[in-house]
Amino acid sequence: MPPPVFRFAPSPNGHLHLGHAYSALLNADLARQADGRLLLRIEDIDATRCRPEYEAAIYEDLAWLGMAWETPVRRQSEHFASYRRALDRLSAQGLIYPSFESRAEIARMVAERDANMAWPRDPDGAPLYPGTAKQLSAREREALTASGAPYALRLDMAAALASVGPFDWTEDGEGPGGETGIVTARPEAWGDVILARKDTPASYHLAVVVDDALQGVTDVVRGQDLFWATSVHRLLQRLLDLPAPRYRHHVLLRDAAGAKLSKSTRATGLRELRAEGVTPAEVRRRIGL
Ligand code: GLU
């Protein structure tokens, strides 16, 4: 049996905090216990929010924690062609369509309909896309694209589900409602998710699925905030004929007031703690590892 493959996949859009330390060290510990491999992946697709100095800080903070990972590190911004190929494959199955409304326009459309009924929201609380652009004719689409209007490429969820039937995933951790073991995927809860934009070749969902498969990841260990996103990931794996890793979602660390840790709260930043003289052993103690 080949060794299991774990990965820690931070986005360089801020400095790491105790919550990242927990996720990174949990991956490292599980990989070591299983005689497995540990990869680090830099998820830097979103050029507007990612910065080279944050990436450099990630390497520095993780090394300080005592983590070791395989090199070369995969940086998503260097692999746009891989994501494009996956998108083309979905497109060839007739599962992708462009939508041209801005977020504000979608919010307005939904507010109008909301007057009569509670508009459905995705597990993150955002209103589902009403599917309006699916009705555009080929000619209208061409005209809008030719005008240079920005667009998002969306998955036609109903068509995608019709082509694969029901499926599930193996959860070694726990979802926000205590879900564990074999969990039935519910990608329809996300509606027609965005898989790419005019200026961004892949969304998080598409890139993470392509990379986990390309890198042979067998065990995805990450925060519970991504638990229901796994439904979309499993769907994309089915549509693209990619293997399903096992999943282990862990609880998110909270601050003293019970709020989720954020990249902007300095109190729990690894750099700040290091500057205060906190040791990596003390970090482990504070996060319970
Ligand atoms: N890049 C994502 C984040 O920083 C994590 C992705 C994942 O583990 O699937 O939240």
Side-chain angles (χ1 to χ4, degrees), residues 76-203:
Q76 290 187 324
S77 58
E78 292 169 352
H79 297 280
F80 287 165
S82 311
Y83 314 132
R84 180 85 245 167
R85 271 196 298 277
L87 203 60
D88 287 348
R89 196 161 155 192
L90 297 171
S91 200
Q93 296 173 55
L95 299 178
I96 303 287
Y97 70 92
S99 69
F100 299 87
E101 300 90 347
S102 66
R103 275 197 193 92
E105 280 164 343
I106 295 173
R108 216 168 26 245
M109 275 162 26
V110 164
E112 278 162 19
R113 301 179 191 206
D114 235 353
N116 307 318
M117 61 176 274
W119 190 256
R121 292 184 178 258
D122 71 25
D124 283 347
L128 294 198
Y129 178 65
T132 343
K134 220 161 42 173
Q135 323 306 333
L136 292 175
S137 67
R139 179 172 304 186
E140 286 168 319
R141 268 179 204 165
E142 269 162 38
L144 279 162
T145 313
S147 76
Y151 56 83
L153 295 175
R154 294 181 179 271
L155 182 69
D156 182 337
M157 185 57 76
L161 287 176
S163 75
V164 296
F167 52 94
D168 48 35
W169 79 84
T170 305
E171 175 63 41
D172 294 331
E174 201 174 80
E179 302 84 351
T180 191
I182 305 296
V183 178
T184 303
R186 293 196 293 113
E188 62 278 12
W190 295 94
D192 291 354
V193 285
I194 293 178
L195 294 186
R197 289 182 189 275
K198 185 183 177 201
D199 302 315
T200 322
S203 68

Side-chain angles (χ1 to χ4, degrees), residues 7-11 20 41 43 204 208 212 220-223 225-226 233 263:
R7 92 301 196 269
F8 176 57
S11 296
H20 299 104
R41 184 166 73 224
E43 303 213 319
Y204 156 67
V208 84
D212 283 339
V220 171
V221 178
R222 62 185 177 195
D225 51 335
L226 293 170
H233 302 171
K263 282 182 169 153

